[in-house]
Amino acid sequence: MASSLNKYNNLALEASAGTGKTFQLAMRVAGMLLTGAAPKDILCLTFTRKATAEMKERIIKFINGFAEGTSDTSEYEFIAPLMKKYAEKLQRPFDDNFIKEKAVTARDNLFSHFSELNIKTIDAFNNTILRIFPFEAGFRPDFGVHCDEETAQIKRTAFYQLVSEMLADNKWKQILDNIYPVLGVQTVSLISTLQKYAEYVADNILKLESAVKNAPSLDNIIEMLSKAVTMQQKIPELCQKFKKTFENDNLSVRQANAVEKLDYKKIQDISDIPFFKNTLDEAPNFKKYEFSQKQYNLHENIFNKLQEYWLLYGDIITSLSLNLGKLLNNKMDILKKEKNMLTYSDISNAVYYMLAADNSKIDKDYLYFRLDGRINHLLIDEFQDTSISQWLTLKPLAEEAMAGLGQHDKVGSFFYVGDPKQNIYRFRGGSSSLFRLLLQEYKDKLSSKTLDTNYRSGKNIIDIVNKISNEIYKQYGENFAIFNIDQKAYKENGDGYVEITHKMDKQDKEEDAYYLTYCLDKINICIENGFQYKDIAILTVSNNHGKDIIDYLENNNIPVQAETSANLTSSPVFNIIMALAEFIETDDDYAFFRFLYTSPKAAHNNIMQDKGLFINEKNKIKNMLNNIEGLSIFDKLLYLSNKLDLQSRFSSSPDYYVCFDIISKTAANETNIADFKETVFKSASSEQALSAAQKNAVTVMTIHKSKGLQFNVVILPNLSRDITVNAKNSPLFIADNNVFGDSKLCCVYSKKQYPYISGTKAEEYMKNENMLTLQDSVNMLYVAMTRAEKALFINAEMPKDMPLKISHIAGLCFPEKVQQGILKAEINKEKEQVKSINIEININKQKELIDTKAFYSRKEDITFNYLSALAGECLHAGLFMLEYGREETISIAEKCMYAKYGSALDDKTFADIKKYILTVYNNTQWQQLFNGRVFKERRIGKDNNLYSVDIYSEMEDKLVIMDYKTGALNDKILDEYKKQLFTYKEILKKLYNKKTECCIFHIEKGIFTF
């Protein structure tokens, strides 16, 4: 793989799908570390937390590979030119030993300062800045971060407060009384319509800063509404005058029907009369009719009035939206300040105002000086999804890096990588135009490079992608120049298989939709040709389509998993556990229904259809609960999870353990369901789901969620998404002019209204937005197709006229059925092993989350086990704080333990824990650990498994691993502990390449070394 490390430190790398973007980025960071950069000098910004985790993992893998001499050819060829120059700089001979020596040093330095390696999302980086400078931005330093559900609730609360105030305000009451006929909505829909307008502006308040500031006043809006109401009376009167001009004519039936439509009273209906959608001479059925001059004059007058009306209509909607959005944003700010809570959008906006806004009163030079003291190398991943505000915040750091010297005379660099063809997050502010704008602005400092060899997909798949891309370029011109591509397939990828068919839903409504049967058919064909279910991904344009597909496949006994979000709160495991908790406390039927039927389901559909069976299932669980009355919700969940064998239901998903870990830490003693749900949801909203692709099941996800992933087989069954802006979906849009904060809010006009904005600025804005929406759609198709490695299935649709949906694009490029290549899975000779991620959670320090069924024979045992586990958690928290040679850490540990656990543990238990702490501190063998570099509670991984090591020490000639244990101990238990320690040993020995000793420190029995 070609290297992006060349004579230029500053590089813009355009990397098409599958060309090794992540490899290039991770290797560039590894190269910096190998050539002496400190972890704290580097800031690498990614788009998702998943990408962050993958980046860190790859960097460690690369550096460790160079240190151990196990790097592959592509890695060596990438790094060798850089290391050769580095050797010349140091006046050292260049060979493999030089690379290994520097890699060992870099690895040790990285492990010692791993927390200083700034690889994070842009949101996390902004959060870090605000934590450093909270007072400068006007916030308290202990602010919290809202999850999506909390933000939605804040919006709802703020809007209803706003409506109450509007109804008490005379001007707003006057506006509300006159707005119904103008908007053309029913009374019951008015509030929800206004809420959409207000939320759209509030969500884009930064982009629309100038428009909000200069929005027309309420008096102006009242005046505009009055004018619109007058025109609603005047235009029908003019139509009557126009109708009278035909009274004495001998009209055909069709002509007479057309004239009768001039009786319409509503402007929306009048605008759809064919007379006014065309010039008078082009009116349908009147081609041979000789119009009088009076008729021409009246027609022109009516058309002009309609145009005036619809432009006024747009001004009213945008003016109203800007005023509502401003007020809603202010209300939300008040509510958030009361709770000292912010959203990620708030944080991003605050950092922008603090560091990038022209009107900021803060000493930005000082703040950037503080930041630049930590950052010398700036790298940005997925740059096509970076928003203008994000870039403006980062711009001074990038310019300082490109200047050649950062703080402390360290050489800096700026690197960004991405693919404008994969910009599918414009609705979040992503601006693909930035990619090339920076090359123009910094042409003397930035070089560019393009990667065009695809290492992911088979040749036939690449050929189809190239053909569709080039056809789009030919069809739509220079606006789509990025699709004038000739991507090459890596020869070892094989040929691959592509199938494009043209059939959409034409069956009776009682039958299953065709795209559902299409999915089932293609899955069965793939299974027959050697693929496994887990090889297959079905990508959709919406979550609703995905849900329909999941339900249909489950009913046809196809194992399926949903991947709609990486957040734990969206995982099935979390939602099933929370539904069970709600049912336990409220006996709510809907909660029990969610517990049974959230996938993976716990019951067949016949239970849902038979109320008697449903009640029987409820009573089974209620009878179980009779034995454990009075316990916390957490204790009840533990009890039922074992009785109901939830681990098997979730196929031992790691999310199961993470959920119980979170509950044990945040709501272990909670008995109020409302407080329980709020506390647990808030904690879980910051966690990532870990269970992706852990079982042999078909994956169903949206195209947006699939970005960055790859699958052996990709099925695209229903690409029915509009490729032009649609007023039903989005009543407003923002016309960008590349001057941040000075964007214009625009109204979306429907097809009926379109003739009346012809030749105006409104038409210009609409045309541009339609083009951008088309680009979004084409980008989505490109992303979807390029997820496929071995096989790609597309259900296309032939357009009758111009393409209106994504499926039309594929149909336009391939009007005939396509079938290229051979559909056949590669045979894996290794027997497949299902591997699960094992996460040790504090509640389970005794190596089991819950004991066997006998453990639950008495409710006292549950409480005892929980308190025992809590005592273990308390002990580990104290041990984590101990530092040999610093006796004050003993008292610090005691205070912290008591503050967190003192109210839950009795005096005797707490006294025993304090005694254990002293036992450990005074142990000579434990003290010797501090002769080396000590690492505590470190997560290590192997083969998709994660482990937590209590403490280990890296000494000059060896590693010593120690694990703390309490409770019963016999030969059998000791052997299990040894197996666990040997796993740790295997992982760490490979990383450090040193002799490794293992110790079990049993608090009561002493130390066992082996």
Side-chain angles (χ1 to χ4, degrees):
M1 187 176 287
S3 172
S4 66
L5 299 175
N6 53 29
K7 63 181 180 179
Y8 297 99
N9 283 327
N10 309 312
L11 179 66
L13 183 64
E14 186 170 336
S16 293
T19 56
K21 169 181 66 67
T22 306
F23 174 90
Q24 298 275 339
L25 185 58
M27 191 61 80
R28 191 173 180 91
V29 175
M32 291 172 181
L33 295 170
L34 288 172
T35 52
K40 65 182 178 63
D41 294 338
I42 299 168
L43 173 61
C44 179
L45 298 176
T46 63
F47 194 65
T48 64
R49 285 183 291 178
K50 182 175 181 179
T52 297
E54 182 182 357
M55 195 66 60
K56 290 180 179 178
E57 184 180 330
R58 285 205 181 196
I59 291 166
I60 292 172
K61 172 184 175 292
F62 290 155
I63 291 179
N64 190 62
F66 292 127
E68 298 295 326
T70 58
S71 58
D72 62 33
T73 303
S74 63
E75 294 163 3
Y76 182 86
E77 290 177 349
F78 189 101
I79 211 71
L82 176 74
M83 297 306 293
K84 185 176 181 181
K85 289 182 180 179
Y86 188 50
E88 292 171 357
K89 179 181 177 181
L90 299 179
Q91 297 182 342
R92 293 273 305 278
F94 171 72
D95 54 21
D96 290 352
N97 288 332
F98 176 79
I99 295 178
K100 185 173 183 178
E101 173 196 330
K102 295 303 175 185
V104 170
T105 301
R107 182 181 65 186
D108 292 346
N109 190 35
L110 179 60
F111 285 175
S112 301
H113 304 90
F114 192 71
S115 62
E116 297 177 3
L117 183 60
N118 289 315
I119 299 177
K120 55 183 66 176
T121 64
I122 294 182
D123 282 338
F125 175 64
N126 285 333
N127 191 21
T128 300
I129 293 176
L130 205 57
R131 297 289 180 187
I132 297 173
F133 309 118
F135 297 111
E136 287 86 343
F139 297 105
R140 302 205 308 264
D142 59 339
F143 66 83
V145 180
H146 275 309
C147 65
D148 290 342
E149 185 172 291
E150 290 171 319
T151 302
Q153 182 59 47
I154 286 282
K155 280 183 182 177
R156 288 193 292 269
T157 303
F159 183 74
Y160 291 129
Q161 287 181 2
L162 175 58
V163 169
S164 297
E165 292 181 7
M166 289 165 61
L167 293 174
D169 182 276
N170 288 331
K171 290 183 180 179
W172 273 112
K173 284 175 67 177
Q174 192 173 348
I175 289 172
L176 295 176
D177 288 341
N178 288 283
I179 198 70
Y180 292 103
V182 176
L183 293 183
V185 298
Q186 297 178 351
T187 306
V188 292
S189 304
L190 178 64
I191 296 300
S192 61
T193 300
L194 296 180
Q195 187 173 357
K196 283 182 183 178
Y197 295 166
E199 289 186 357
Y200 185 87
V201 173
D203 289 341
N204 294 280
I205 200 74
L206 199 60
K207 271 188 169 184
L208 295 168
E209 182 179 19
S210 178
V212 168
K213 182 179 179 181
N214 299 307
S217 66
L218 296 187
D219 288 330
N220 293 143
I221 296 175
I222 292 170
E223 186 180 334
M224 285 189 280
L225 282 170
S226 177
K227 184 177 180 181
V229 170
T230 300
M231 294 182 73
Q232 286 181 333
Q233 298 169 349
K234 182 69 175 176
I235 292 173
E237 292 174 1
L238 289 172
C239 287
Q240 287 301 306
K241 290 182 180 180
F242 187 42
K243 180 182 178 183
K244 286 182 180 180
T245 64
F246 295 96
E247 282 182 345
N248 299 321
D249 293 342
N250 185 20
L251 300 176
S252 69
V253 173
R254 289 184 177 181
Q255 289 174 335
N257 289 337
V259 170
E260 285 300 314
K261 291 180 180 180
L262 293 170
D263 287 332
Y264 289 161
K265 302 299 182 185
K266 292 182 179 179
I267 301 298
Q268 289 89 340
D269 296 332
I270 294 172
S271 300
D272 202 33
I273 296 174
F275 272 127
F276 308 122
K277 295 169 69 175
N278 305 275
T279 63
L280 198 52
D281 291 330
E282 294 174 342
N285 304 309
F286 284 85
K287 296 291 176 67
K288 296 181 180 180
Y289 185 89
E290 294 185 8
F291 292 102
S292 67
Q293 189 59 45
K294 182 178 181 180
Q295 288 172 323
Y296 280 116
N297 292 340
L298 281 168
H299 177 273
E300 183 180 6
N301 192 10
I302 294 171
F303 180 86
N304 290 339
K305 290 294 182 184
L306 286 171
Q307 184 176 68
E308 183 182 355
Y309 178 86
W310 285 119
L311 293 175
L312 180 63
Y313 165 89
D315 290 340
I316 290 171
I317 287 181
T318 54
S319 300
L320 188 63
S321 300
L322 290 168
N323 278 275
L324 287 170
K326 179 182 179 180
L327 294 172
L328 177 62
N329 189 65
N330 293 340
K331 286 284 179 190
M332 289 170 62
D333 282 346
I334 292 170
L335 291 174
K336 285 183 280 194
K337 284 180 180 178
E338 287 175 356
K339 294 187 175 184
N340 195 30
M341 297 289 287
L342 302 174
T343 66
Y344 279 114
S345 178
D346 295 328
I347 293 170
S348 178
N349 292 352
V351 171
Y352 167 79
Y353 279 123
M354 185 168 59
L355 295 178
D358 292 334
N359 58 354
S360 172
K361 297 178 181 179
I362 296 170
D363 186 352
K364 290 181 283 188
D365 290 337
Y366 166 71
L367 297 186
Y368 276 116
F369 173 80
R370 286 274 305 277
L371 290 175
D372 190 50
R374 302 177 178 208
I375 301 165
N376 293 294
H377 302 283
L378 176 61
L379 305 95
I380 306 177
D381 189 16
E382 301 287 4
F383 194 73
Q384 76 280 349
D385 294 320
T386 303
S387 70
I388 295 177
S389 65
Q390 289 169 339
W391 165 244
L392 292 175
T393 301
L394 297 168
K395 184 177 179 180
L397 295 176
E399 290 179 342
E400 188 73 19
M402 286 188 287
L405 293 174
Q407 299 298 322
H408 312 303
D409 293 331
K410 291 185 179 179
V411 175
S413 67
F414 174 50
F415 172 85
Y416 65 89
V417 60
D419 182 8
K421 298 187 295 299
Q422 296 188 64
N423 174 28
I424 57 175
Y425 286 99
R426 185 172 67 93
F427 63 94
R428 290 184 184 171
S431 177
S432 61
S433 61
L434 276 175
F435 204 98
R436 289 184 169 82
L437 287 175
L438 263 64
L439 282 172
Q440 296 171 14
E441 185 174 355
Y442 302 109
K443 58 185 178 182
D444 296 330
K445 297 178 180 179
L446 265 175
S447 65
S448 64
K449 186 179 178 68
T450 301
L451 303 179
D452 59 5
T453 299
N454 187 299
Y455 295 88
R456 175 188 300 161
S457 306
K459 183 178 183 302
N460 287 320
I461 297 172
I462 297 301
D463 288 346
I464 290 292
V465 171
N466 283 340
K467 184 167 182 180
I468 290 178
S469 298
N470 287 311
E471 192 64 38
I472 288 167
Y473 170 62
K474 291 177 186 176
Q475 183 82 10
Y476 296 107
E478 286 304 314
N479 285 321
F480 291 81
I482 57 174
F483 285 95
N484 185 18
I485 62 173
D486 183 22
Q487 201 171 350
K488 299 171 179 61
Y490 188 51
K491 62 181 180 181
E492 294 184 13
N493 293 8
D495 289 338
Y497 176 81
V498 178
E499 181 180 304
I500 302 176
T501 51
H502 307 79
K503 188 175 181 182
M504 281 292 160
D505 300 328
K506 297 178 182 177
Q507 290 114 314
D508 295 333
K509 291 184 179 179
E510 290 76 16
E511 296 182 11
D512 294 318
Y514 175 70
Y515 74 90
L516 298 177
T517 58
Y518 177 87
C519 289
L520 182 61
D521 178 51
K522 300 311 171 189
I523 289 169
N524 288 332
I525 289 173
C526 289
I527 298 301
E528 289 171 6
N529 285 277
F531 290 98
Q532 299 183 55
Y533 289 116
K534 68 178 182 179
D535 294 328
I536 303 168
I538 299 173
L539 306 185
T540 66
V541 295
S542 71
N543 283 319
N544 287 337
H545 282 160
K547 184 179 181 303
D548 291 343
I549 291 169
I550 289 168
D551 290 342
Y552 181 78
L553 294 180
E554 284 184 337
N555 290 334
N556 283 276
N557 300 315
I558 300 294
V560 60
Q561 63 176 0
E563 284 295 317
T564 56
S565 176
N567 191 279
L568 182 63
T569 57
S570 298
S571 74
V573 176
F574 177 83
N575 286 290
I576 288 169
I577 290 173
M578 295 302 284
L580 180 59
E582 187 174 348
F583 167 70
I584 288 170
E585 295 303 305
T586 65
D587 194 29
D588 180 72
D589 280 354
Y590 181 58
F592 188 65
F593 174 83
R594 298 199 316 272
F595 169 71
L596 286 181
Y597 288 102
T598 299
S599 182
K601 296 178 182 178
H604 295 295
N605 290 339
N606 61 338
I607 292 177
M608 180 175 63
Q609 297 160 0
D610 188 320
K611 190 171 182 179
L613 292 175
F614 185 80
I615 292 172
N616 286 340
E617 290 297 314
K618 278 183 61 178
N619 289 337
K620 286 180 186 178
I621 295 181
K622 290 167 72 172
N623 289 335
M624 295 178 192
L625 292 170
N626 289 336
N627 299 322
I628 53 171
E629 294 176 358
L631 296 181
S632 70
I633 298 171
F634 172 55
D635 285 332
K636 293 175 185 178
L637 284 172
L638 284 176
Y639 175 71
L640 287 178
S641 71
N642 195 60
K643 283 287 188 181
L644 301 171
D645 196 15
L646 289 187
Q647 294 187 55
S648 296
R649 178 176 175 183
F650 302 137
S651 303
S652 297
S653 163
D655 291 339
Y656 171 84
Y657 301 103
V658 174
C659 287
F660 274 102
D661 188 26
I662 288 171
I663 296 171
S664 72
K665 290 175 179 175
T666 60
N669 300 314
E670 191 59 68
T671 56
N672 179 281
I673 186 62
D675 293 340
F676 176 87
K677 287 170 64 178
E678 181 180 1
T679 301
V680 174
F681 195 94
K682 187 177 293 185
S683 298
S685 63
S686 61
E687 292 287 334
Q688 261 188 308
L690 299 172
S691 58
Q694 291 299 314
K695 59 183 180 179
N696 187 23
V698 174
T699 297
V700 178
M701 60 174 21
T702 64
I703 295 171
H704 283 94
K705 294 296 179 186
S706 75
K707 194 170 172 205
L709 303 178
Q710 56 197 55
F711 305 91
N712 279 327
V713 178
V714 168
I715 300 173
L716 306 178
N718 189 353
L719 297 172
S720 58
R721 172 182 166 129
D722 292 336
I723 59 175
T724 55
V725 62
N726 189 324
K728 291 181 181 179
N729 300 329
S730 176
L732 298 165
F733 68 93
I734 294 173
D736 286 321
N737 58 2
N738 291 324
V739 179
F740 190 72
D742 194 28
S743 300
K744 180 177 176 58
L745 184 66
C746 299
C747 167
V748 176
Y749 288 95
S750 67
K751 290 181 181 178
K752 288 183 180 181
Q753 300 155 356
Y754 213 85
Y756 305 103
I757 62 169
S758 177
T760 67
K761 273 287 185 183
E763 181 189 34
E764 182 183 328
Y765 294 138
M766 279 287 291
K767 281 185 176 179
N768 188 56
E769 183 64 17
N770 277 327
M771 183 59 66
L772 292 173
T773 304
L774 174 59
Q775 288 176 354
D776 293 340
S777 302
V778 171
N779 290 353
M780 280 185 67
L781 178 60
Y782 176 82
V783 168
M785 293 189 298
T786 54
R787 301 311 96 194
E789 295 178 336
K790 306 299 180 187
L792 173 63
F793 295 88
I794 301 177
N795 184 27
E797 187 175 6
M798 287 302 299
K800 294 179 181 179
D801 191 4
M802 61 176 289
L804 299 174
K805 299 177 182 178
I806 299 177
S807 55
H808 289 155
I809 298 174
L812 183 71
C813 296
F814 292 95
E816 303 295 331
K817 180 177 179 179
V818 173
Q819 200 167 3
Q820 294 180 4
I822 299 173
L823 181 65
K824 188 174 183 181
E826 293 181 357
I827 299 175
N828 189 352
K829 295 182 180 179
E830 284 186 25
K831 185 178 179 181
E832 182 192 359
Q833 295 180 342
V834 179
K835 300 173 182 177
S836 61
I837 299 176
N838 302 310
I839 297 182
E840 278 192 282
I841 57 179
N842 288 331
I843 192 69
N844 185 26
K845 261 306 183 190
Q846 296 163 309
K847 305 308 171 197
E848 292 182 354
L849 179 64
I850 314 166
D851 205 346
T852 54
K853 293 180 181 178
F855 177 72
Y856 291 104
S857 58
R858 299 189 314 277
K859 65 182 182 182
E860 292 83 1
D861 289 337
I862 299 172
T863 306
F864 174 79
N865 184 73
Y866 168 63
L867 292 174
S868 175
L870 196 65
E873 185 178 337
C874 177
L875 174 60
H876 275 77
L879 292 172
F880 181 80
M881 297 177 188
L882 285 188
E883 294 282 345
Y884 179 62
R886 295 180 59 207
E887 290 193 15
E888 67 272 17
T889 60
I890 299 174
S891 61
I892 293 172
E894 290 177 357
K895 289 176 182 177
C896 291
M897 288 189 301
Y898 189 79
K900 187 171 183 180
Y901 303 98
S903 60
L905 301 174
D906 57 54
D907 292 342
K908 182 181 181 305
T909 301
F910 199 77
D912 288 341
I913 292 172
K914 289 167 65 176
K915 183 178 71 174
Y916 294 152
I917 291 289
L918 289 173
T919 299
V920 172
Y921 189 85
N922 293 320
N923 183 278
T924 305
Q925 200 167 341
W926 179 83
Q927 293 171 357
Q928 289 174 353
L929 294 177
F930 290 83
N931 293 331
R933 289 188 299 168
V934 173
F935 302 87
K936 303 175 187 177
E937 295 288 350
R938 287 302 176 98
R939 289 277 178 89
I940 57 176
K942 177 189 176 186
D943 297 333
N944 287 332
N945 294 281
L946 294 176
Y947 307 93
S948 179
V949 182
D950 287 340
I951 184 170
Y952 73 93
S953 175
E954 182 194 5
M955 300 181 187
E956 187 173 343
D957 58 341
K958 64 180 179 180
L959 286 180
V960 180
I961 306 170
M962 186 176 287
D963 215 27
Y964 303 121
K965 303 295 178 186
T966 57
L969 186 67
N970 55 40
D971 289 344
K972 183 178 179 181
I973 294 174
L974 186 61
D975 285 342
E976 290 298 318
Y977 289 162
K978 286 181 179 179
K979 288 179 184 177
Q980 182 183 348
L981 267 290
F982 281 137
T983 301
Y984 301 167
K985 177 180 178 179
E986 181 184 354
I987 297 170
L988 291 173
K989 186 176 181 180
K990 185 175 180 181
L991 290 174
Y992 286 92
N993 197 25
K994 289 183 178 181
K995 176 185 173 183
T996 305
E997 293 179 4
C998 295
C999 306
I1000 293 173
F1001 193 151
H1002 193 278
I1003 302 300
E1004 295 163 339
K1005 307 276 182 163
I1007 293 182
F1008 299 82
T1009 303
F1010 49 93

